[in-house]
Amino acid sequence: MNKNCNARITIGRQFGSGGRQIGRAIADALGIDYYDKNLMTEAARHAGLNPALFEQKDEKAPSFFSGLLSYNMGYSAYNLLGSTSSITDDALYRAQTEVIRSLAEKGPCVIVGRSADYALRDRDDVVNIFIHAPIEERIKRIMERGDASTPEQARQLAEKTNKLRAGYYNFYTDKRWGKAESYDLTLDSSLMSTEDIVELIKKYIELRNK
Amino acid sequence: MNKNCNARITIGRQFGSGGRQIGRAIADALGIDYYDKNLMTEAARHAGLNPALFEQKDEKAPSFFSGLLSYNMGYSAYNLLGSTSSITDDALYRAQTEVIRSLAEKGPCVIVGRSADYALRDRDDVVNIFIHAPIEERIKRIMERGDASTPEQARQLAEKTNKLRAGYYNFYTDKRWGKAESYDLTLDSSLMSTEDIVELIKKYIELRNK
């Protein structure tokens, strides 16, 4: 662990902006822990929580909200019948919040997604970052990593995923996803190499720690 | 002029976030020109434009839009009668765009406000920054500089001015004021000294110029 870095760094990101890759690179550069959905599942298992709770495809607001977003989650009947799936969603959110808090308690780290900024809002060692990029760049990246085979498919996937992330964030926090004022620092990832973004964020953390 | 800086830096900002002071400090640190509303009035005069066009209190969308925002601009009668004042607003916007473009043409500079980022969207040497701060910090700053005498007055002034700025920006550009994706870099000014923010932005420009 880097003795100069005490920060718990949270990263929100547009789908396809490379935010996760940047998060990993920051953790490597600072020699601190890195967590995203996969590692949080692992952490939940170790903590004795049901990891199935974390095996969702992406951040999602409760299902009645997802319904508003016209997202077919495969249990629409529940939406009509009552709050069964909402209860599950809330349990998932509470479990995630607990896991995020205990990971942050362990030491400096980078946590990507899951409104980690809000889960950690009472700590004073948190740095909240948001990564975005122009849609053309995101489409390119989404296709390069094989998540879509046509630009139109990539665009739709980006739009749908960002809607879900925004719905999740706006539902569970008192802030707005993607608005500058919700974060300490936001960056357009298309204007610099990942290496240079990491250098800038290191500089930012160094200045914050002064 | 700093030989290492070729950038045209535009700064959008929440009212009371200290964005103008930061813009001035960046220009001083880089040894480049600085423009805000006052200096643009001067520039317009030199260019033979009517400076009265620039002597508006702040950025404003056309008056029919201002009407929606319940902002009394002193010529509400015009709003009811037709588009006379809208024509004036559009002429003002076009004149400002021309002045901003010719200032950027002259050399590296910092331009605060007036959707300068959009006026300069076809240049490839522009760095677009947005500065914000939590409302409590903005209220403190607004009162310190004597723009309001009570916290409630400061809060209302901040909200009204930001609504006007957002209205202006959203009307004239194809982007959204205050959204992270509208800018290259955004910062919460309450988390660092102005000096440190300047140091970070210098680093950012250095990395962009690589």
Side-chain angles (χ1 to χ4, degrees):
Chain A
M1 188 193 312
N2 187 310
K3 67 177 168 26
N4 294 316
C5 176
N6 199 41
R8 280 63 174 166
I9 301 164
T10 74
I11 301 194
R13 71 291 179 224
Q14 287 182 330
F15 185 75
S17 69
R20 188 152 74 157
Q21 180 195 338
I22 289 167
R24 170 75 78 176
I26 294 168
D28 287 349
L30 294 172
I32 62 178
D33 289 330
Y34 168 83
Y35 306 103
D36 59 16
K37 181 192 42 166
N38 301 329
L39 290 172
M40 283 204 279
T41 307
E42 205 49 44
R45 186 175 287 118
H46 282 292
L49 288 164
N50 179 2
L53 283 175
F54 291 79
E55 280 159 8
Q56 309 272 341
K57 190 167 172 293
D58 211 313
E59 290 104 305
K60 288 199 294 285
S63 49
F64 69 89
F65 200 88
S66 302
L68 290 179
L69 295 170
S70 309
Y71 184 64
N72 184 346
M73 293 167 78
Y75 47 75
S76 323
Y78 282 84
N79 297 348
L80 296 170
L81 291 170
S83 59
T84 312
S85 54
S86 283
I87 290 166
T88 309
D89 289 332
D90 282 350
L92 169 64
Y93 178 74
R94 281 197 305 275
Q96 283 192 156
T97 299
E98 282 315 303
V99 170
I100 289 166
R101 286 182 185 158
S102 63
L103 292 174
E105 198 55 43
K106 273 176 56 190
C109 57
V110 173
I111 304 176
V112 173
R114 315 260 143 185
S115 327
D117 53 340
Y118 194 71
L120 303 180
R121 66 191 178 282
D122 292 331
R123 298 187 69 99
D124 60 5
D125 51 7
V126 182
V127 172
N128 298 317
I129 297 173
F130 183 80
I131 304 292
H132 58 92
I135 183 65
E136 298 74 25
E137 298 292 328
R138 284 182 279 136
I139 286 173
K140 217 171 97 185
R141 186 186 298 268
I142 290 164
M143 292 184 66
E144 273 167 12
R145 68 190 187 200
D147 285 347
S149 48
T150 69
E152 189 46 36
Q153 215 174 51
R155 180 189 301 273
Q156 284 175 12
L157 183 61
E159 282 172 5
K160 192 176 86 172
T161 309
N162 286 339
K163 261 190 193 169
L164 290 170
R165 287 180 182 175
Y168 181 89
Y169 191 90
N170 299 345
F171 184 86
Y172 283 116
T173 81
D174 57 1
K175 304 191 290 180
R176 303 295 294 177
W177 187 85
K179 274 195 95 170
E181 64 184 4
S182 302
Y183 312 92
D184 301 350
L185 171 72
T186 80
L187 286 169
D188 180 339
S189 63
S190 73
L191 299 169
M192 276 183 187
S193 68
T194 298
E195 197 180 23
D196 289 345
I197 290 174
V198 169
E199 195 174 329
L200 186 77
I201 291 173
K202 279 173 68 178
K203 180 78 179 177
Y204 180 82
I205 290 168
E206 178 195 314
L207 291 167
R208 280 280 295 273
N209 281 346
K210 264 174 64 174
Chain B
M1 189 193 313
N2 187 311
K3 67 177 166 26
N4 294 318
C5 175
N6 198 42
R8 281 62 175 169
I9 302 164
T10 73
I11 301 194
R13 73 289 180 222
Q14 288 182 330
F15 186 74
S17 69
R20 188 151 74 159
Q21 181 196 335
I22 289 166
R24 170 76 76 176
I26 294 168
D28 287 350
L30 294 173
I32 63 177
D33 289 330
Y34 168 83
Y35 307 103
D36 59 17
K37 180 190 44 166
N38 301 329
L39 289 172
M40 283 204 278
T41 308
E42 205 49 44
R45 188 176 285 118
H46 282 293
L49 289 165
N50 179 1
L53 282 175
F54 291 78
E55 281 161 8
Q56 309 272 341
K57 191 168 171 292
D58 212 312
E59 291 104 300
K60 288 199 294 285
S63 48
F64 69 88
F65 199 86
S66 303
L68 290 179
L69 295 170
S70 310
Y71 184 64
N72 184 346
M73 294 167 78
Y75 47 74
S76 323
Y78 281 85
N79 297 348
L80 298 171
L81 290 170
S83 59
T84 312
S85 56
S86 283
I87 290 166
T88 309
D89 289 332
D90 282 349
L92 169 64
Y93 178 75
R94 282 197 304 275
Q96 283 191 157
T97 299
E98 281 314 302
V99 169
I100 288 165
R101 285 183 185 159
S102 62
L103 292 174
E105 199 53 44
K106 272 175 57 190
C109 56
V110 173
I111 305 178
V112 174
R114 315 260 144 187
S115 326
D117 53 341
Y118 194 71
L120 302 180
R121 67 191 178 281
D122 292 331
R123 298 187 69 98
D124 61 4
D125 51 7
V126 182
V127 172
N128 298 317
I129 298 172
F130 183 80
I131 304 292
H132 59 91
I135 183 65
E136 298 73 24
E137 298 291 329
R138 285 183 279 135
I139 287 172
K140 218 170 97 184
R141 186 186 297 267
I142 291 164
M143 291 184 66
E144 273 167 12
R145 68 189 187 199
D147 286 347
S149 46
T150 67
E152 189 45 36
Q153 215 174 51
R155 179 189 301 271
Q156 285 176 12
L157 183 62
E159 282 172 5
K160 192 175 85 171
T161 308
N162 286 340
K163 260 190 194 170
L164 290 170
R165 288 181 181 173
Y168 180 89
Y169 191 90
N170 299 346
F171 184 85
Y172 283 117
T173 81
D174 57 0
K175 304 190 291 184
R176 303 294 294 177
W177 186 85
K179 275 196 94 169
E181 64 183 3
S182 302
Y183 311 93
D184 301 351
L185 171 73
T186 80
L187 287 168
D188 179 339
S189 63
S190 73
L191 300 169
M192 277 184 186
S193 67
T194 297
E195 197 179 22
D196 288 345
I197 290 174
V198 169
E199 196 175 329
L200 185 77
I201 292 173
K202 279 172 67 176
K203 181 76 178 177
Y204 180 82
I205 290 169
E206 179 195 314
L207 291 167
R208 281 280 295 272
N209 280 347
K210 264 173 64 173

